[in-house]
Amino acid sequence: MVELHQKRGHEVTKLSDLRRLDLEQIHVVRGRSLSWYYPATAAVSGMGAGLVISGGELATAVSGGAAAAPSGGAIVGALAGDAAIVIGLASRAVGHVSLLYGYDPEEPVEKLFVLSVVNAGTAASVGAQNAAFADISRLTQALVRGKAWKVLNDSVVARIAGRFAEAVGHTLTKKGLGKVVPVAGILVGGTLNWTTLEGIVDTAEMAYRRRFLLEKYPQLLDEGPIEAFVVEDTDDPNDIVDDGFSMLDELAVEGGPDLR
C-alpha cells in the first residue's frame, strides 16, 4: 500500500503516514476493483453452495426419485461452508479497506474494529444493524480520543472473534436457506452473497472514512455527541429476527474497557 502511494508521488514512508494524506489521494489509490472483487468471489461461493444443494434435488426430481437427494447433513454442510467463506472474505475485504486508510488490520485493536464493521454488514435485522453501527461509533470515538487498550491483546481478540464467527455463521446460514430451492438456489446463492459483501465493503468505506476524517479534524469530536449510523426500519415482515452481536459487550466481558 505504501509503495502504491509512493508511485503516485505521495510522500509516505510507512502505513500510518497515509492518515496525513488528503482523502482525494486515498481515493486515487483505492481504484474500483475493491467494489466488485470481493462481492464477485463471494457470489461464486454462493452459487457453488446452491449448485451442491439444488443439483442433487434437481437430479432427484428428473429421475423420479431414483437419484439420491442431498441429505440434511450435506445441505447444512454446504450452507455452513459457504458461511465460513463469506466471513473470511468479509474480514479480508474490511482489512483491505483499513489498509487503504492507513490502519494495520493485524493490530489487536484494529482486528476488533474490523470485526465490528463485519458485524454491522452481516446483521440480519434493522435493530441488530443499528446496534452494530452504534458499536462502531463508540469504538471510533474511543480510538480517536486515544483510549488506552492495555488489556487488549491477540488472545482476547481471538476469543471474541471465535464467538463472533459462531454467531455470524448462524445468521448467514439462516439467510442462506433460499439456496435450498431447486435451481433457483444457485441464483439466490450468488445474489445473496454478492449483496452481503457489497454491503460490507460499503459499510467499511463509510466507517473508515469517518474515522479517517475525525482523526484529521478532531475538533469535530467537540461539537457534540456523534450519533451512530441509523438504518430506518422497513417493517418488512420477512426480516429475520436477530438479536445481534455486540462487540463492545464482548470486550467488556473479556475485561477490556467498557465503551457501552
Side-chain angles (χ1 to χ4, degrees):
M1 193 61 65
V2 172
E3 289 177 357
L4 288 174
H5 277 277
Q6 290 174 338
K7 288 178 181 179
R8 294 280 183 172
H10 302 161
E11 297 182 0
V12 297
T13 57
K14 57 183 183 297
L15 186 63
S16 59
D17 290 342
L18 273 59
R19 301 181 214 171
R20 296 188 281 106
L21 300 176
D22 292 332
L23 199 56
E24 183 179 1
Q25 293 173 297
I26 298 294
H27 289 168
V28 167
V29 171
R30 179 193 185 280
R32 297 180 180 179
S33 62
L34 179 63
S35 298
W36 61 262
Y37 172 76
Y38 293 101
T41 305
V44 171
S45 173
M47 292 175 69
L51 180 61
V52 168
I53 298 168
S54 299
E57 292 180 338
L58 182 61
T60 302
V62 171
S63 64
S71 65
I75 292 175
V76 172
L79 291 174
D82 181 52
I85 290 174
V86 169
I87 293 173
L89 283 171
S91 298
R92 289 181 63 86
V94 178
H96 190 155
V97 175
S98 75
L99 287 170
L100 284 170
Y101 286 90
Y103 303 99
D104 184 356
E106 291 302 315
E107 295 181 1
V109 68
E110 296 303 333
K111 289 180 181 178
L112 190 66
F113 197 87
V114 167
L115 291 176
S116 297
V117 174
V118 175
N119 187 35
T122 55
S125 70
V126 171
Q129 197 170 15
N130 282 332
F133 280 138
D135 275 2
I136 293 175
S137 183
R138 296 187 186 101
L139 188 54
T140 297
Q141 293 179 63
L143 290 169
V144 172
R145 289 189 168 104
K147 184 81 174 182
W149 303 90
K150 295 178 182 178
V151 72
L152 195 61
N153 54 43
D154 283 326
S155 62
V156 169
V157 174
R159 290 195 294 272
I160 295 175
R163 293 195 291 272
F164 169 74
E166 182 178 355
V168 174
H170 182 62
T171 298
L172 291 176
T173 299
K174 287 195 294 183
K175 278 186 175 182
L177 291 178
K179 300 168 189 172
V180 179
V181 180
V183 183
I186 300 173
L187 179 60
V188 170
T191 302
L192 177 62
N193 282 12
W194 178 288
T195 55
T196 297
L197 261 294
E198 187 176 49
I200 289 170
V201 171
D202 289 344
T203 299
E205 283 280 358
M206 179 170 53
Y208 280 100
R209 185 184 305 120
R210 180 170 178 263
R211 181 177 165 191
F212 176 87
L213 291 173
L214 284 173
E215 288 194 4
K216 286 180 70 71
Y217 308 105
Q219 64 271 22
L220 295 177
L221 286 170
D222 300 326
E223 294 183 359
I226 300 173
E227 298 296 331
F229 314 110
V230 177
V231 180
E232 294 184 1
D233 194 343
T234 59
D235 294 324
D236 186 347
N238 296 317
D239 279 347
I240 297 174
V241 176
D242 179 23
D243 294 331
F245 184 93
S246 174
M247 207 62 62
L248 298 190
D249 283 350
E250 296 295 326
L251 179 61
V253 167
E254 290 293 338
D258 192 343
L259 305 178
R260 296 169 296 181

